Amino acid sequence: MALNTPIGLTPASFDNMITGAGAGYTNLALTEGMTAETVSPLLQAALEAGECLGATRGGFSFDFSYETRDIEADGKTFPFKGSTTLTVMNASVSTTLLEVTPGVLSRVFSNSELNTDKNHMRFRMQFTEDSYIPEMWFIMALIGGGYVGIKMQNVLNIEGSSPTTTPDGEMELPGNFRAHQASLTDSQYGPAEIFWFYPEETPPEP
């Protein structure tokens, strides 16, 4: 009898892969259970309303790592279920933005303040409540159709930015956007969620 070769690739594998760099958005009203057909016009509307982070270079790099601690006690000689605790949950994304607009820069510099006409920016010396972006979404397309969306809450660009110009290129605006818990007692779930928005006629693959 011929033995099967251990392999994870299936005919549906490529459909489940993400293609392209994706895009970042603010004030995107997406909820669980939406279809790709519902989400698509909302993405276009957000783009036209200036709620998109605009052009990027190098896509997005996500960090959902966490830190743990092993409880030490007399009589414990090896790790077992329940002896490892979660101490820190990271939720951040780094990217390089290219468009130098008031809207983009106000998100890159979390301590910024725009005037009413949005043609003058100043930098505050501390973060305030409105420094936090309530929600940021990062939407990526699946090869087989539909989207994967990552929602991050209470977001700050924790490093500011060091814009760079070149004689033969475009200014780059690197940013590292980190999500935050809403409060000290908000500790059941981390400040990030992942959603799948499938086309109406395409059932999700397990």
Side-chain angles (χ1 to χ4, degrees):
M1 181 182 68
L3 299 179
N4 291 323
T5 301
I7 185 171
L9 187 67
T10 70
S13 291
F14 301 105
D15 290 343
N16 297 327
M17 296 178 185
I18 288 174
T19 181
Y25 302 85
T26 56
N27 296 321
L28 198 56
L30 304 183
T31 59
E32 179 182 351
M34 283 185 170
T35 65
E37 288 82 358
T38 302
V39 171
S40 180
L42 296 178
L43 300 181
Q44 184 61 32
L47 179 64
E48 295 172 357
E51 298 292 349
C52 182
L53 296 181
T56 58
R57 178 168 289 154
F60 299 94
S61 179
F62 298 95
D63 177 12
F64 294 144
S65 62
Y66 48 78
E67 299 174 20
T68 62
R69 181 178 67 86
D70 283 336
I71 299 173
E72 300 297 336
D74 293 338
K76 178 195 168 193
T77 57
F78 47 81
F80 55 87
K81 288 173 63 176
S83 69
T84 302
T85 63
L86 184 65
T87 57
V88 176
M89 173 67 198
N90 298 305
S92 66
V93 56
S94 58
T95 188
T96 298
L97 304 175
L98 299 176
E99 298 187 33
V100 187
T101 66
V104 170
L105 263 64
S106 67
R107 297 172 182 119
V108 168
F109 298 108
S110 296
N111 63 331
S112 64
E113 180 180 274
L114 279 173
N115 67 345
T116 304
D117 294 330
K118 296 186 177 181
N119 58 15
H120 175 219
M121 175 179 286
R122 295 191 297 179
F123 298 98
R124 294 179 291 222
M125 294 304 294
Q126 61 183 355
F127 292 129
T128 61
E129 179 68 23
D130 61 1
S131 298
Y132 294 85
I133 301 172
E135 288 185 2
M136 289 185 76
W137 282 86
F138 301 90
I139 307 295
M140 294 145 288
L142 290 165
I143 292 177
Y147 306 103
V148 173
I150 296 178
K151 181 175 79 170
M152 296 171 55
Q153 299 169 310
N154 308 308
V155 180
L156 282 177
N157 180 12
I158 58 173
E159 297 177 358
S161 188
S162 300
T164 303
T165 62
T166 62
D168 56 354
E170 299 73 37
M171 174 184 279
E172 294 186 343
L173 295 158
N176 184 7
F177 298 92
R178 186 174 70 185
H180 295 72
Q181 303 293 130
S183 67
L184 182 63
T185 58
D186 179 25
S187 59
Q188 184 176 8
Y189 298 102
E193 301 174 58
I194 302 176
F195 295 76
W196 285 262
F197 304 108
Y198 290 104
E200 292 177 353
E201 72 280 2
T202 306
E205 290 290 336

PDB file of all heavy atoms in Angstrom, residues 118-136:
ATOM      1  N   LYS A 118      -7.108  72.885   9.270  1.00  0.00           N
ATOM      2  CA  LYS A 118      -6.229  71.749   8.984  1.00  0.00           C
ATOM      3  C   LYS A 118      -5.090  72.117   8.036  1.00  0.00           C
ATOM      4  O   LYS A 118      -4.759  71.374   7.102  1.00  0.00           O
ATOM      5  CB  LYS A 118      -7.051  70.570   8.424  1.00  0.00           C
ATOM      6  CG  LYS A 118      -8.048  70.017   9.435  1.00  0.00           C
ATOM      7  CD  LYS A 118      -8.747  68.775   8.930  1.00  0.00           C
ATOM      8  CE  LYS A 118      -9.682  68.222   9.995  1.00  0.00           C
ATOM      9  NZ  LYS A 118     -10.383  66.993   9.565  1.00  0.00           N
ATOM     10  N   ASN A 119      -4.494  73.281   8.306  1.00  0.00           N
ATOM     11  CA  ASN A 119      -3.318  73.675   7.527  1.00  0.00           C
ATOM     12  C   ASN A 119      -2.162  74.100   8.430  1.00  0.00           C
ATOM     13  O   ASN A 119      -1.195  74.699   7.977  1.00  0.00           O
ATOM     14  CB  ASN A 119      -3.666  74.793   6.536  1.00  0.00           C
ATOM     15  CG  ASN A 119      -4.224  76.027   7.226  1.00  0.00           C
ATOM     16  OD1 ASN A 119      -4.114  76.185   8.447  1.00  0.00           O
ATOM     17  ND2 ASN A 119      -4.845  76.910   6.453  1.00  0.00           N
ATOM     18  N   HIS A 120      -2.277  73.787   9.736  1.00  0.00           N
ATOM     19  CA  HIS A 120      -1.214  74.128  10.686  1.00  0.00           C
ATOM     20  C   HIS A 120      -1.219  73.090  11.806  1.00  0.00           C
ATOM     21  O   HIS A 120      -2.265  72.793  12.391  1.00  0.00           O
ATOM     22  CB  HIS A 120      -1.455  75.531  11.270  1.00  0.00           C
ATOM     23  CG  HIS A 120      -0.466  75.907  12.333  1.00  0.00           C
ATOM     24  ND1 HIS A 120      -0.814  76.600  13.462  1.00  0.00           N
ATOM     25  CD2 HIS A 120       0.872  75.677  12.421  1.00  0.00           C
ATOM     26  CE1 HIS A 120       0.247  76.786  14.213  1.00  0.00           C
ATOM     27  NE2 HIS A 120       1.285  76.234  13.608  1.00  0.00           N
ATOM     28  N   MET A 121      -0.045  72.517  12.086  1.00  0.00           N
ATOM     29  CA  MET A 121       0.067  71.466  13.107  1.00  0.00           C
ATOM     30  C   MET A 121       1.055  71.898  14.184  1.00  0.00           C
ATOM     31  O   MET A 121       2.119  72.442  13.887  1.00  0.00           O
ATOM     32  CB  MET A 121       0.528  70.152  12.463  1.00  0.00           C
ATOM     33  CG  MET A 121       0.785  69.018  13.455  1.00  0.00           C
ATOM     34  SD  MET A 121       1.288  67.488  12.608  1.00  0.00           S
ATOM     35  CE  MET A 121      -0.287  66.967  11.923  1.00  0.00           C
ATOM     36  N   ARG A 122       0.677  71.652  15.431  1.00  0.00           N
ATOM     37  CA  ARG A 122       1.583  71.848  16.554  1.00  0.00           C
ATOM     38  C   ARG A 122       1.722  70.528  17.309  1.00  0.00           C
ATOM     39  O   ARG A 122       0.914  69.617  17.154  1.00  0.00           O
ATOM     40  CB  ARG A 122       1.055  72.931  17.494  1.00  0.00           C
ATOM     41  CG  ARG A 122       1.006  74.303  16.855  1.00  0.00           C
ATOM     42  CD  ARG A 122       0.745  75.397  17.883  1.00  0.00           C
ATOM     43  NE  ARG A 122      -0.562  75.236  18.530  1.00  0.00           N
ATOM     44  CZ  ARG A 122      -1.008  76.054  19.477  1.00  0.00           C
ATOM     45  NH1 ARG A 122      -0.256  77.063  19.889  1.00  0.00           N
ATOM     46  NH2 ARG A 122      -2.195  75.859  20.011  1.00  0.00           N
ATOM     47  N   PHE A 123       2.765  70.443  18.156  1.00  0.00           N
ATOM     48  CA  PHE A 123       3.037  69.214  18.892  1.00  0.00           C
ATOM     49  C   PHE A 123       2.897  69.466  20.387  1.00  0.00           C
ATOM     50  O   PHE A 123       3.606  70.294  20.954  1.00  0.00           O
ATOM     51  CB  PHE A 123       4.447  68.693  18.568  1.00  0.00           C
ATOM     52  CG  PHE A 123       4.625  68.334  17.125  1.00  0.00           C
ATOM     53  CD1 PHE A 123       5.215  69.233  16.239  1.00  0.00           C
ATOM     54  CD2 PHE A 123       4.198  67.111  16.641  1.00  0.00           C
ATOM     55  CE1 PHE A 123       5.368  68.909  14.903  1.00  0.00           C
ATOM     56  CE2 PHE A 123       4.350  66.783  15.296  1.00  0.00           C
ATOM     57  CZ  PHE A 123       4.938  67.681  14.427  1.00  0.00           C
ATOM     58  N   ARG A 124       1.960  68.756  20.991  1.00  0.00           N
ATOM     59  CA  ARG A 124       1.765  68.871  22.437  1.00  0.00           C
ATOM     60  C   ARG A 124       2.868  68.111  23.170  1.00  0.00           C
ATOM     61  O   ARG A 124       3.447  67.167  22.649  1.00  0.00           O
ATOM     62  CB  ARG A 124       0.390  68.309  22.825  1.00  0.00           C
ATOM     63  CG  ARG A 124      -0.763  69.120  22.269  1.00  0.00           C
ATOM     64  CD  ARG A 124      -2.099  68.520  22.659  1.00  0.00           C
ATOM     65  NE  ARG A 124      -2.340  67.251  21.983  1.00  0.00           N
ATOM     66  CZ  ARG A 124      -3.505  66.893  21.461  1.00  0.00           C
ATOM     67  NH1 ARG A 124      -4.542  67.711  21.532  1.00  0.00           N
ATOM     68  NH2 ARG A 124      -3.657  65.714  20.881  1.00  0.00           N
ATOM     69  N   MET A 125       3.119  68.493  24.408  1.00  0.00           N
ATOM     70  CA  MET A 125       4.173  67.869  25.203  1.00  0.00           C
ATOM     71  C   MET A 125       3.645  66.735  26.082  1.00  0.00           C
ATOM     72  O   MET A 125       4.359  66.237  26.954  1.00  0.00           O
ATOM     73  CB  MET A 125       4.868  68.929  26.058  1.00  0.00           C
ATOM     74  CG  MET A 125       5.636  69.954  25.240  1.00  0.00           C
ATOM     75  SD  MET A 125       6.864  69.189  24.133  1.00  0.00           S
ATOM     76  CE  MET A 125       8.014  68.502  25.319  1.00  0.00           C
ATOM     77  N   GLN A 126       2.411  66.324  25.848  1.00  0.00           N
ATOM     78  CA  GLN A 126       1.870  65.172  26.549  1.00  0.00           C
ATOM     79  C   GLN A 126       0.730  64.575  25.729  1.00  0.00           C
ATOM     80  O   GLN A 126       0.147  65.251  24.888  1.00  0.00           O
ATOM     81  CB  GLN A 126       1.361  65.565  27.935  1.00  0.00           C
ATOM     82  CG  GLN A 126       0.247  66.598  27.910  1.00  0.00           C
ATOM     83  CD  GLN A 126      -0.172  67.024  29.311  1.00  0.00           C
ATOM     84  OE1 GLN A 126       0.308  66.487  30.308  1.00  0.00           O
ATOM     85  NE2 GLN A 126      -1.075  67.974  29.392  1.00  0.00           N
ATOM     86  N   PHE A 127       0.438  63.304  25.995  1.00  0.00           N
ATOM     87  CA  PHE A 127      -0.708  62.666  25.350  1.00  0.00           C
ATOM     88  C   PHE A 127      -1.977  63.032  26.107  1.00  0.00           C
ATOM     89  O   PHE A 127      -1.981  63.147  27.334  1.00  0.00           O
ATOM     90  CB  PHE A 127      -0.546  61.145  25.343  1.00  0.00           C
ATOM     91  CG  PHE A 127       0.566  60.652  24.471  1.00  0.00           C
ATOM     92  CD1 PHE A 127       1.517  59.770  24.963  1.00  0.00           C
ATOM     93  CD2 PHE A 127       0.663  61.061  23.147  1.00  0.00           C
ATOM     94  CE1 PHE A 127       2.541  59.305  24.151  1.00  0.00           C
ATOM     95  CE2 PHE A 127       1.686  60.603  22.327  1.00  0.00           C
ATOM     96  CZ  PHE A 127       2.620  59.723  22.840  1.00  0.00           C
ATOM     97  N   THR A 128      -3.045  63.214  25.362  1.00  0.00           N
ATOM     98  CA  THR A 128      -4.352  63.489  25.953  1.00  0.00           C
ATOM     99  C   THR A 128      -5.324  62.405  25.507  1.00  0.00           C
ATOM    100  O   THR A 128      -4.975  61.518  24.716  1.00  0.00           O
ATOM    101  CB  THR A 128      -4.870  64.868  25.517  1.00  0.00           C
ATOM    102  OG1 THR A 128      -5.019  64.889  24.086  1.00  0.00           O
ATOM    103  CG2 THR A 128      -3.899  65.972  25.934  1.00  0.00           C
ATOM    104  N   GLU A 129      -6.549  62.480  25.983  1.00  0.00           N
ATOM    105  CA  GLU A 129      -7.557  61.474  25.625  1.00  0.00           C
ATOM    106  C   GLU A 129      -7.752  61.377  24.119  1.00  0.00           C
ATOM    107  O   GLU A 129      -7.894  60.283  23.562  1.00  0.00           O
ATOM    108  CB  GLU A 129      -8.882  61.806  26.317  1.00  0.00           C
ATOM    109  CG  GLU A 129     -10.013  60.844  26.012  1.00  0.00           C
ATOM    110  CD  GLU A 129      -9.812  59.458  26.592  1.00  0.00           C
ATOM    111  OE1 GLU A 129      -9.051  59.339  27.582  1.00  0.00           O
ATOM    112  OE2 GLU A 129     -10.402  58.495  26.049  1.00  0.00           O
ATOM    113  N   ASP A 130      -7.734  62.529  23.443  1.00  0.00           N
ATOM    114  CA  ASP A 130      -7.959  62.499  21.990  1.00  0.00           C
ATOM    115  C   ASP A 130      -6.703  62.186  21.197  1.00  0.00           C
ATOM    116  O   ASP A 130      -6.730  62.200  19.971  1.00  0.00           O
ATOM    117  CB  ASP A 130      -8.598  63.805  21.507  1.00  0.00           C
ATOM    118  CG  ASP A 130      -7.727  65.024  21.767  1.00  0.00           C
ATOM    119  OD1 ASP A 130      -6.621  64.857  22.307  1.00  0.00           O
ATOM    120  OD2 ASP A 130      -8.158  66.140  21.432  1.00  0.00           O
ATOM    121  N   SER A 131      -5.599  61.889  21.891  1.00  0.00           N
ATOM    122  CA  SER A 131      -4.410  61.407  21.185  1.00  0.00           C
ATOM    123  C   SER A 131      -4.609  59.982  20.681  1.00  0.00           C
ATOM    124  O   SER A 131      -3.994  59.559  19.701  1.00  0.00           O
ATOM    125  CB  SER A 131      -3.182  61.439  22.103  1.00  0.00           C
ATOM    126  OG  SER A 131      -2.876  62.746  22.520  1.00  0.00           O
ATOM    127  N   TYR A 132      -5.468  59.241  21.357  1.00  0.00           N
ATOM    128  CA  TYR A 132      -5.705  57.844  21.006  1.00  0.00           C
ATOM    129  C   TYR A 132      -6.697  57.740  19.844  1.00  0.00           C
ATOM    130  O   TYR A 132      -7.734  58.402  19.850  1.00  0.00           O
ATOM    131  CB  TYR A 132      -6.260  57.079  22.208  1.00  0.00           C
ATOM    132  CG  TYR A 132      -5.296  56.960  23.364  1.00  0.00           C
ATOM    133  CD1 TYR A 132      -5.195  57.977  24.305  1.00  0.00           C
ATOM    134  CD2 TYR A 132      -4.486  55.846  23.511  1.00  0.00           C
ATOM    135  CE1 TYR A 132      -4.310  57.880  25.368  1.00  0.00           C
ATOM    136  CE2 TYR A 132      -3.596  55.738  24.567  1.00  0.00           C
ATOM    137  CZ  TYR A 132      -3.514  56.761  25.492  1.00  0.00           C
ATOM    138  OH  TYR A 132      -2.628  56.668  26.541  1.00  0.00           O
ATOM    139  N   ILE A 133      -6.359  56.927  18.876  1.00  0.00           N
ATOM    140  CA  ILE A 133      -7.291  56.622  17.794  1.00  0.00           C
ATOM    141  C   ILE A 133      -8.194  55.507  18.307  1.00  0.00           C
ATOM    142  O   ILE A 133      -7.711  54.408  18.616  1.00  0.00           O
ATOM    143  CB  ILE A 133      -6.549  56.177  16.527  1.00  0.00           C
ATOM    144  CG1 ILE A 133      -5.598  57.283  16.060  1.00  0.00           C
ATOM    145  CG2 ILE A 133      -7.532  55.812  15.426  1.00  0.00           C
ATOM    146  CD1 ILE A 133      -4.670  56.858  14.931  1.00  0.00           C
ATOM    147  N   PRO A 134      -9.508  55.746  18.425  1.00  0.00           N
ATOM    148  CA  PRO A 134     -10.388  54.736  19.033  1.00  0.00           C
ATOM    149  C   PRO A 134     -10.293  53.369  18.368  1.00  0.00           C
ATOM    150  O   PRO A 134     -10.226  52.342  19.056  1.00  0.00           O
ATOM    151  CB  PRO A 134     -11.790  55.348  18.876  1.00  0.00           C
ATOM    152  CG  PRO A 134     -11.548  56.819  18.825  1.00  0.00           C
ATOM    153  CD  PRO A 134     -10.245  56.980  18.090  1.00  0.00           C
ATOM    154  N   GLU A 135     -10.289  53.352  17.035  1.00  0.00           N
ATOM    155  CA  GLU A 135     -10.168  52.087  16.311  1.00  0.00           C
ATOM    156  C   GLU A 135      -9.346  52.296  15.044  1.00  0.00           C
ATOM    157  O   GLU A 135      -9.550  53.274  14.329  1.00  0.00           O
ATOM    158  CB  GLU A 135     -11.534  51.525  15.916  1.00  0.00           C
ATOM    159  CG  GLU A 135     -12.355  50.983  17.059  1.00  0.00           C
ATOM    160  CD  GLU A 135     -13.635  50.328  16.571  1.00  0.00           C
ATOM    161  OE1 GLU A 135     -13.843  50.267  15.336  1.00  0.00           O
ATOM    162  OE2 GLU A 135     -14.427  49.878  17.409  1.00  0.00           O
ATOM    163  N   MET A 136      -8.440  51.371  14.777  1.00  0.00           N
ATOM    164  CA  MET A 136      -7.752  51.302  13.491  1.00  0.00           C
ATOM    165  C   MET A 136      -7.988  49.916  12.912  1.00  0.00           C
ATOM    166  O   MET A 136      -7.940  48.917  13.630  1.00  0.00           O
ATOM    167  CB  MET A 136      -6.246  51.562  13.633  1.00  0.00           C
ATOM    168  CG  MET A 136      -5.884  52.989  13.961  1.00  0.00           C
ATOM    169  SD  MET A 136      -4.083  53.272  13.981  1.00  0.00           S
ATOM    170  CE  MET A 136      -3.737  53.311  12.225  1.00  0.00           C
TER     171      MET A 136
END
